[in-house]
Amino acid sequence: MLIINDLSDYKQTKECAVTLGKFDGVHKGHQKLLNIALSKKEEGVISVAFTFIPTDLGNEFITDRKERHGIFERMGIDILLEIPFTKEFASISAKDFVKEILVDKMNAKYIISGPDFRFGKDRLGDTDMLIELSKEFGYTAIVEPKELYKDKEISSTYIRNELKLGNIGTVNKLLGYKYGVYAEVIHGKALGRKFKYPTINMIADSAKLLPPNGVYATRVLFDGRVEYGVTNIGVKPTVNEGKVKKGIETYILDFNEDMYGKYVKLEFCWYLREERKYERIEDLFSQIEMDAVAAKEYFKIL
């Protein structure tokens, strides 16, 4: 997949099917649009996802940029346009955005969006304009209705709200894949190893929205392998005092290999329990053993 961050000197010669959106989460609604673009490959048309480098959600992104890139690539998208949303770009009128960017630079044969897509200066462009301009500029506008889950429209906002509530099962259904975190394994206090429950520690991208503090059944993906684990999101109150940065600690079931420096993808599958503080460290590791049994039952790997 080709990733383009600057269009100033770029011009695409082959015809493209361009899908427009923010794509936070690349959820089932986004996938519906992207698959339309991918279906045009039968006509020799290149698939393009057009979005902006995300800047406006603080630390509430469902997917960080690396995760989003990975999803696009696995889907088979040919080109990702991920453009900085500068003052200069924001000043482009809606019509000029379609003519100068999508038609002249990207050679768009198809322009695909959801029904609520807005574009151009002051967000004055909408899907009605996209359809109207297609007559002038010769592309085909495709506006798809929202994908639904239980009669409710799937959106990134809907997913963020469910994630904040810890409803991992619902989040995964809305995404169409397992919500996850991709990060490097870092050194912790190694207390788990001392008590024969070695864990791996990770820190998510600062922009990433994490589930509520608690313990989750997770899948652990690395080096082409799949293992299973129990993951704690939070501040580890039993072993830490004072203000501690929110972290991710995973006990990989029946596993004892050196993971430091490896990049790992955690997939959150089910909520097990709240994060608790224990008076004795031994009580914490007794609870981890019970969590491991619960996770094995969930994954049916007893």
Side-chain angles (χ1 to χ4, degrees):
M1 181 178 70
L2 177 64
I3 300 175
I4 299 172
N5 302 125
D6 184 359
L7 282 171
S8 56
D9 296 318
Y10 185 81
K11 185 171 176 62
Q12 176 57 244
T13 56
K14 293 184 178 180
E15 291 182 321
C16 294
V18 182
T19 308
L20 304 162
K22 287 186 176 182
F23 298 115
D24 183 29
V26 198
H27 55 63
K28 289 180 76 173
H30 297 142
Q31 292 166 37
K32 179 181 180 181
L33 302 179
L34 293 163
N35 281 324
I36 292 172
L38 289 165
S39 73
K40 305 304 179 184
K41 286 189 177 184
E42 298 175 358
E43 304 173 26
V45 175
I46 292 174
S47 58
V48 177
F50 190 113
T51 190
F52 294 100
I53 294 176
T55 58
D56 60 347
L57 286 174
N59 60 345
E60 292 205 335
F61 290 103
I62 302 162
T63 46
D64 61 34
R65 288 179 68 190
K66 284 184 180 179
E67 290 172 321
R68 191 166 68 165
H69 293 174
I71 296 168
F72 285 137
E73 191 151 21
R74 286 191 294 275
M75 288 189 70
I77 296 299
D78 295 308
I79 298 175
L80 169 60
L81 296 180
E82 195 175 46
I83 308 301
F85 193 67
T86 61
K87 288 183 179 180
E88 180 183 8
F89 209 104
S91 68
I92 300 174
S93 72
K95 183 173 182 178
D96 285 346
F97 171 74
V98 173
K99 173 66 168 62
E100 296 175 10
I101 304 298
L102 301 182
V103 175
D104 292 346
K105 284 189 175 290
M106 294 311 303
N107 196 18
K109 182 177 182 179
Y110 299 95
I111 299 177
I112 306 155
S113 79
D116 55 357
F117 183 70
R118 305 300 293 256
F119 58 94
K121 184 179 180 181
D122 299 324
R123 293 168 52 85
L124 293 177
D126 59 13
T127 53
D128 288 339
M129 179 184 286
L130 204 59
I131 293 168
E132 187 62 30
L133 291 175
S134 69
K135 302 170 187 175
E136 182 176 350
F137 298 131
Y139 60 84
T140 298
I142 301 175
V143 179
E144 279 292 306
K146 291 270 192 176
E147 190 77 358
L148 302 179
Y149 175 70
K150 295 184 177 179
D151 297 324
K152 185 173 181 178
E153 293 181 350
I154 296 176
S155 68
S156 299
T157 299
Y158 180 13
I159 295 169
R160 278 192 290 273
N161 290 339
E162 291 296 318
L163 189 55
K164 290 175 183 178
L165 292 170
N167 296 332
I168 292 296
T170 301
V171 167
N172 291 342
K173 288 175 182 176
L174 298 174
L175 290 173
Y177 60 89
K178 297 287 192 298
Y179 164 86
V181 172
Y182 179 73
E184 183 181 7
V185 176
I186 60 173
H187 287 273
K189 293 186 175 182
L191 287 173
R193 192 167 299 278
K194 177 181 176 183
F195 285 84
K196 298 181 181 180
Y197 291 99
T199 59
I200 61 171
N201 291 270
M202 304 159 68
I203 298 292
D205 186 293
S206 59
K208 177 89 173 177
L209 177 62
L210 294 175
N213 291 5
V215 179
Y216 299 82
T218 51
R219 293 205 322 161
V220 188
L221 287 69
F222 61 96
D223 295 344
R225 298 168 58 176
V226 179
E227 301 289 344
Y228 299 90
V230 172
T231 296
N232 184 86
I233 296 279
V235 297
K236 298 186 283 188
T238 303
V239 298
N240 288 318
E241 295 182 3
K243 189 174 182 181
V244 177
K245 186 175 182 179
K246 190 170 183 174
I248 305 164
E249 184 175 23
T250 301
Y251 167 54
I252 305 177
L253 307 179
D254 304 319
F255 182 89
N256 190 17
E257 297 179 20
D258 184 0
M259 296 285 287
Y260 294 126
K262 288 184 181 292
Y263 277 84
V264 168
K265 173 71 178 292
L266 281 182
E267 292 183 343
F268 288 75
C269 301
W270 200 252
Y271 175 81
L272 293 175
R273 63 173 176 85
E274 64 192 13
E275 185 180 42
R276 303 176 193 136
K277 183 173 182 177
Y278 296 88
E279 294 302 319
R280 301 187 313 149
I281 192 72
E282 292 84 359
D283 294 336
L284 169 62
F285 288 105
S286 293
Q287 180 63 59
I288 291 175
E289 177 61 33
M290 288 187 280
D291 295 337
V293 171
K296 287 180 178 182
E297 289 176 348
Y298 173 79
F299 290 119
K300 295 181 171 59
I301 55 174
L302 276 172

